[in-house]
């Protein structure tokens, strides 16, 4: 079992920044990929960014150039730096990982961007 706990959400104005953090614990040996997803009201969950243990990153087109994902393998954490936030970034953000074919999700943290 893997446990994921997110932190860092909140209310921010348009153009502002937030940093989300996710801490992994439990059976975390051999975890390769970790990522962030989000789900806005009335919409499907979508992948925002991901990073492998080797540092290869992925970004959704909608956040490229504004969001930065980083990872500390020693601390088993993955962060998402979000800059130039837009109202359409408002969503619950979930941390995700996969280990030996099993998906693990955090409970989510709410990000609200006000105009």
């Amino acid at each position: 079992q893997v446990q994921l706990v997110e932190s860092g959400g909140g209310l921010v104005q348009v153009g502002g920044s937030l940093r989300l953090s996710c801490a992994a614990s439990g059976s975390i040996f051999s975890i390769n990929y970790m990522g962030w997803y989000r789900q806005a009201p009335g919409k499907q969950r979508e992948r925002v960014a991901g990073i492998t243990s080797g540092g290869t990153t992925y970004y959704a087109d909608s956040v490229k150039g504004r969001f930065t994902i980083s990872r500390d393998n020693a601390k088993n954490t993955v962060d998402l730096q979000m800059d130039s936030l837009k109202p359409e970034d408002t969503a619950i953000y979930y941390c995700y990982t996969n280990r030996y074919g099993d998906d693990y999700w955090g409970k989510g943290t709410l990000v609200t961007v006000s105009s």
Side-chain angles (χ1 to χ4, degrees):
Q1 292 291 323
V2 176
Q3 293 80 44
L4 302 172
V5 179
E6 305 98 336
S7 61
L11 175 65
V12 64
Q13 291 187 333
V14 170
S17 298
L18 279 176
R19 188 176 184 89
L20 306 182
S21 293
C22 173
S25 61
S27 300
I28 56 178
F29 181 75
S30 295
I31 284 180
N32 179 26
Y33 178 85
M34 297 188 74
W36 288 93
Y37 285 67
R38 68 185 181 188
Q39 188 166 17
K43 295 188 176 181
Q44 289 189 331
R45 191 173 296 189
E46 63 174 351
R47 184 166 58 157
V48 175
I51 186 168
T52 68
S53 58
T56 300
T57 57
Y58 161 86
Y59 294 98
D61 287 342
S62 58
V63 307
K64 281 181 182 176
R66 300 189 298 120
F67 290 11
T68 303
I69 190 169
S70 60
R71 180 170 177 170
D72 187 328
N73 291 325
K75 296 182 178 179
N76 300 310
T77 58
V78 59
D79 291 352
L80 186 67
Q81 176 67 39
M82 305 186 295
D83 299 319
S84 303
L85 283 161
K86 304 176 181 180
E88 51 263 43
D89 295 319
T90 295
I92 298 174
Y93 284 71
Y94 298 90
C95 184
Y96 164 86
T97 192
N98 181 286
R99 185 175 181 269
Y100 297 143
D102 293 326
D103 295 330
Y104 297 93
W105 296 91
K107 292 183 178 181
T109 185
L110 178 62
V111 172
T112 304
V113 184
S114 67
S115 55

